[in-house]
Amino acid sequence: MRTMRAARFHPASGKLGVEEVPVPRPGPGEALVKVAACGICHSDLSLLNGVFHTDLPSITPGHEAAGTIDELGSPVPGWQRGDRVVVHAGRACGACPACVSGAAIDDCERVQIMAFDYDGAWAEYVLVPVGALVRVPGSIPLERAAILADAVSTPYAAVVDTAAVRPAESVGVWGLGGIGTHALQAARLAGAAPVIGLDPLPAARERALELGADHTLDPTAEDVLDRIAELTGGRGLKVAIDAVGHADTIAQANRALGHRGRLVLVGMSMDRVELGPLAAFTRDRHSVTGHLGYRKEHIEQLVDLVAAGRLDLSRSISAELPLAETAEGVRRLEHKEGNPIRIVIRP
């Protein structure tokens, strides 16, 4: 029996450690992918600290994965061993009406999520549905391809789909970490102007300017709302994207909106949301929408954008660590050590 190393999390004890486990065998319609890189995401932290939960007694975290096909459970036209791929972090439940009718993963009504409902990719190999694979050209390093599957695709989907940003609309992004920096890049791709990044860390603000923000502000400054009004010609923001998930940043983002402004909530926490007086909220016709995840088509679009040189991810990887140092990577992200965008594990 083949074995591999995997970072295993045991919810009952709260322990995370690298263990030797069997290499999974792919069945029909499945692929075994040799993992080249897998990102560490705040959603992983939420699993490890108990904000999110899994029903499994132990699980391998990690849902931002890229690598090469090691084995196919059955022949699949167009795919073969050695193909470079990034993995959509979901699989169809197989039982809902959409699945019974033969729909794709994105249409499943009870889609299962990698690293929460089944084993993820902080491991040497990961087992996934063939339908979750997106081809990666040789021009894209696999560590950059890995972070497309959430760190880039989730904020991209928030900008182009949920917020439906249009050219020349003003966009503000609260929180300039792994999600926020890619949200402002996506807003710029969509033609937003101005794009304003907000973060209390000077280094994060400086980085945002290098990545395409037109302006950056400290959200803790007393005059921050006045500065947003000034930068938008007194009109306020058309779109505010909260990548923090704290009640105070959400309330501030809402106050920064202009007439018919749209607030999109991407950050996640257990905070209760208070948006202020209802009369003012309805008078200004603000809309508030939660956003989670992405569709496979978003990864496909992003692969094309990166390959064409329209989206530069060369500064998106803050550190690459071996599998044995997974817990260290988690610690760095949790404490924001080194102002990280994305830390990736290289098994």
Side-chain angles (χ1 to χ4, degrees):
M1 180 179 65
R2 293 173 67 195
T3 62
M4 66 176 185
R5 294 176 304 126
R8 299 289 289 175
F9 174 60
H10 300 269
S13 64
K15 291 185 178 180
L16 174 72
V18 175
E19 303 175 13
E20 199 80 13
V21 298
V23 175
R25 294 294 304 273
E30 294 180 327
L32 181 69
V33 173
K34 182 176 177 57
V35 179
C38 184
I40 301 177
C41 175
H42 277 279
S43 297
D44 296 312
L45 298 189
S46 295
L47 173 67
L48 299 178
N49 64 27
V51 173
F52 297 162
H53 76 280
T54 177
D55 294 329
L56 300 175
S58 64
I59 193 166
T60 301
H63 56 273
E64 297 179 347
T68 55
I69 295 177
D70 184 79
E71 185 180 354
L72 292 167
S74 58
V76 181
W79 293 107
Q80 61 184 357
R81 191 172 188 271
D83 283 348
R84 305 170 86 249
V85 295
V86 57
V87 179
H88 181 300
R91 70 180 184 192
C93 72
C96 71
C99 286
V100 171
S101 67
I105 293 173
D106 290 325
D107 297 313
C108 173
E109 297 172 14
R110 296 189 294 271
V111 65
Q112 297 179 324
I113 306 300
M114 178 192 292
F116 298 93
D117 298 309
Y118 59 100
D119 282 337
W122 289 356
E124 294 181 286
Y125 297 90
V126 64
L127 184 65
V128 299
V130 173
L133 301 178
V134 175
R135 195 177 305 277
V136 176
S139 60
I140 302 178
L142 286 173
E143 68 272 13
R144 297 181 195 172
I147 67 170
L148 292 178
D150 193 12
V152 186
S153 54
T154 289
Y156 174 80
V159 168
V160 302
D161 276 6
T162 302
V165 171
R166 294 184 287 274
E169 288 191 317
S170 56
V171 174
V173 179
W174 271 255
L176 301 175
I179 295 295
T181 54
H182 295 121
L184 69 85
Q185 287 178 281
R188 189 175 180 89
L189 274 172
V195 178
I196 304 170
L198 297 99
D199 197 290
L201 296 178
R205 297 197 299 271
E206 181 178 346
R207 178 179 65 200
L209 290 170
E210 295 172 354
L211 291 172
D214 296 301
H215 310 279
T216 58
L217 300 171
D218 182 348
T220 66
E222 292 185 2
D223 66 342
V224 64
L225 293 178
D226 292 334
R227 290 285 291 125
I228 290 174
E230 177 186 336
L231 293 171
T232 57
R235 293 183 294 272
L237 295 171
K238 273 296 182 182
V239 175
I241 296 176
D242 178 81
V244 181
H246 293 168
D248 55 350
T249 60
I250 292 169
Q252 185 181 78
N254 180 60
R255 292 197 301 273
L257 290 176
H259 188 62
R260 294 184 183 275
R262 311 188 297 278
L263 172 58
V264 178
L265 308 180
V266 184
M268 300 186 72
S269 74
M270 299 302 289
D271 281 15
R272 296 183 65 84
V273 177
E274 299 288 344
L275 295 172
L278 179 60
F281 187 78
T282 54
R283 178 196 65 215
D284 294 329
R285 300 189 182 185
H286 293 174
S287 64
V288 181
T289 309
H291 176 86
L292 178 66
Y294 55 87
R295 296 174 68 86
K296 185 179 176 182
E297 66 186 271
H298 295 129
I299 299 182
E300 294 168 342
Q301 291 166 7
L302 287 165
V303 167
D304 290 343
L305 288 167
V306 174
R310 301 297 176 86
L311 178 62
D312 181 9
L313 301 181
S314 62
R315 290 169 289 184
S316 293
I317 307 298
S318 307
E320 298 179 23
L321 299 176
L323 185 64
E325 296 181 26
T326 300
E328 168 63 12
V330 169
R331 186 194 67 79
R332 291 188 195 181
L333 180 61
E334 188 171 22
H335 294 281
K336 299 183 179 179
E337 186 175 301
N339 188 23
I341 299 180
R342 228 2 150 239
I343 298 169
V344 299
I345 299 302
R346 298 294 298 260

